[in-house]
Amino acid sequence: MQGSFCDNIVRSSTKDAMPDSLGNYLIPTSYSRIVARELGLQERELPRLLEGTGLPPHVLLAGDESRISGQQQLQVMTNARRISNDPAFGLRLGSQLTPRSHGPIGYLALSSPDLLTALKSLRDFLPIRIPFAQVDLHEQGQSMACDLTILLPAPTTQLRMLVECFALVIQSLVESFLGRELREASIHFEYDRPAYGDRYEKYIHSELHFAQPASRVVLPAHLLTEANPEGDANSYAAARDMCAALLEQVPVTALSMTDRVKRFLLAQPAGSVNEENVARSLYISRRTLARRLQAEGSSYRRIREDMMAEMAAVQLRQGQLSVESIAVLLGYHDSANFRRAFRRWYGCSPQSFRDGVKPE
């Protein structure tokens, strides 16, 4: 392995978090893809979302690793609000921003041993993905305040949308740990209650306060020691290192459809998506995806099988996890199914492979 997951984050953070020469912050296009999905856009409709940005439609395709400026991201959100004809689109978008939508930061947070560590992970590594926002944590007696600051100059409407999104990002992270809706927090917004204020209660589950000195989420202190419900910390650490190393192997430029599918699969928990999910992320039908992959001499099944086989081999060679743990890591609910798949890939059992026994 080429260093730990966190090492990879630290190495990339200086370049990725820096504003461009015009003072705009550079942001992954993955967030604009979430916008497009929430709008239900088809491939031919993508240019509407990018009007006024100067960006080509391919930046909205899964696997694209481009970064866009803060101003371009604001324009995308402005276009989305117009296309949706919904003043509460910021709330709709925020509800889609689960921890896993933030790529490596989300996995880092979800692998944390407790909620406080997860919030600190979000605070410390947010510049890697969303450099125009800042989260600060402040203890306040029997509570902790998560202050939200938007560093990017933005008109009132867009600023409100961004703050709505970030309040829901915090809520989603906390709810991932609790395994239930967050009801005991207090959510503060520094702007006045908007005309669509009654819509907030559909998306935000805690007490709401408008026209406050700062935008923040206030959490009871007892929640901060909430343990990670995902369990096996070693498996999650191994998954993070594995994904960080494998992502480096996929070309960043001139992506083929095969490369795009690989990048999408590598950015998800193993075994958590299917061919339909991949097609939807590319704004095409499953049939179109199959046709384009076939033109490249590939297929979804072949890509998935090759990646799973490589991941399994990496973990077995490292020797840190049991065969059963590797099966779970790769999304197999039955280790017997994993063993059968492994024999198909390598002609031997996982344990024989680990022991260096030649294929039968």
Side-chain angles (χ1 to χ4, degrees), residues 69-89:
S69 73
Q71 292 302 324
Q72 287 171 323
Q73 184 67 69
L74 286 180
Q75 185 62 51
V76 166
M77 296 182 73
T78 300
N79 294 343
R81 190 173 184 273
R82 184 185 69 249
I83 293 169
S84 69
N85 194 29
D86 184 358
F89 186 78

Side-chain angles (χ1 to χ4, degrees), residues 43 55 66 69 82 111 141 144 193 227 231 287 311-312 315 336 344 358:
E43 187 177 27
L55 296 168
S66 302
S69 73
R82 184 185 69 249
S111 68
M144 172 167 284
R193 184 184 181 92
R287 181 178 298 179
M311 291 177 181
Q315 292 305 312
R344 185 174 69 251
K358 292 182 179 180

Side-chain angles (χ1 to χ4, degrees), residues 140 146 148 163 167 185-191 207-218:
Q140 299 180 335
C146 307
L148 312 172
V163 172
S186 178
I187 315 294
H188 298 231
F189 297 102
E190 44 190 321
Y191 48 80
E207 186 178 89
L208 293 165
H209 301 274
F210 293 94
Q212 298 298 304
S215 294
R216 60 176 44 149
V217 177
V218 181

Side-chain angles (χ1 to χ4, degrees), residues 57-344:
H58 70 71
V59 302
L60 294 177
L61 298 180
D64 189 278
E65 291 299 309
S66 302
R67 285 181 174 260
I68 64 178
S69 73
Q71 292 302 324
Q72 287 171 323
Q73 184 67 69
L74 286 180
Q75 185 62 51
V76 166
M77 296 182 73
T78 300
N79 294 343
R81 190 173 184 273
R82 184 185 69 249
I83 293 169
S84 69
N85 194 29
D86 184 358
F89 186 78
L91 293 170
R92 287 172 49 189
L93 176 59
S95 69
Q96 301 303 311
L97 298 177
T98 64
R100 287 186 172 84
S101 66
H102 308 300
I105 305 173
Y107 295 122
L108 182 61
L110 288 179
S111 68
S112 301
D114 54 52
L115 181 55
L116 178 58
T117 305
L119 291 169
K120 288 180 177 179
S121 297
L122 181 66
R123 176 197 64 190
D124 295 341
F125 296 104
L126 192 61
I128 300 168
R129 297 281 292 185
I130 314 176
F132 63 76
Q134 181 176 307
V135 174
D136 294 305
L137 305 178
H138 304 285
E139 291 187 23
Q140 299 180 335
Q142 296 302 308
S143 64
M144 172 167 284
C146 307
D147 284 3
L148 312 172
T149 304
I150 304 299
L151 305 174
L152 182 69
T156 301
T157 298
Q158 286 88 339
L159 181 63
R160 187 168 60 229
M161 292 174 69
L162 292 172
V163 172
E164 289 168 346
C165 286
F166 270 91
L168 286 163
V169 164
I170 300 294
Q171 175 179 273
S172 180
L173 175 57
V174 175
E175 291 183 343
S176 295
F177 272 71
L178 298 180
R180 60 172 174 81
E181 291 185 350
L182 173 63
R183 296 286 183 180
E184 55 266 68
S186 178
I187 315 294
H188 298 231
F189 297 102
E190 44 190 321
Y191 48 80
D192 293 335
R193 184 184 181 92
Y196 57 89
D198 57 336
R199 299 275 297 278
Y200 276 69
E201 294 178 359
K202 175 181 178 181
Y203 296 95
I204 295 178
H205 307 138
S206 295
E207 186 178 89
L208 293 165
H209 301 274
F210 293 94
Q212 298 298 304
S215 294
R216 60 176 44 149
V217 177
V218 181
L219 299 167
H222 69 85
L223 292 182
L224 302 177
T225 56
E226 192 73 25
N228 182 356
E230 299 291 346
D232 192 341
N234 290 331
S235 293
Y236 273 82
R240 296 196 309 276
D241 287 342
M242 176 177 61
C243 288
L246 289 174
L247 278 170
E248 294 177 0
Q249 300 175 15
V250 183
V252 174
T253 58
L255 290 175
S256 65
M257 183 60 67
T258 300
D259 289 332
R260 293 185 188 279
V261 171
K262 285 181 179 179
R263 279 200 177 272
F264 181 77
L265 291 177
L266 287 169
Q268 315 303 317
S272 67
V273 297
N274 55 32
E275 189 172 5
E276 190 70 35
N277 300 139
V278 175
R280 190 159 53 245
S281 76
L282 293 163
Y283 310 103
I284 57 178
S285 68
R286 182 176 174 178
R287 181 178 298 179
T288 299
L289 174 63
R291 185 174 66 251
R292 293 182 182 180
L293 288 175
Q294 184 179 24
E296 296 177 3
S298 187
S299 69
Y300 171 78
R301 180 175 180 179
R302 183 182 303 172
I303 294 170
R304 182 181 180 280
E305 290 274 295
D306 288 349
M307 289 176 58
M308 298 287 271
E310 183 173 2
M311 291 177 181
V314 167
Q315 292 305 312
L316 287 167
R317 290 190 186 105
Q318 285 187 332
Q320 297 174 353
L321 301 177
S322 67
V323 171
E324 287 72 22
S325 294
I326 295 172
V328 172
L329 182 64
L330 296 182
Y332 285 87
H333 300 294
D334 184 350
S335 61
N337 289 336
F338 169 65
R339 286 183 168 86
R340 282 193 289 272
F342 193 91
R343 186 173 291 277
R344 185 174 69 251

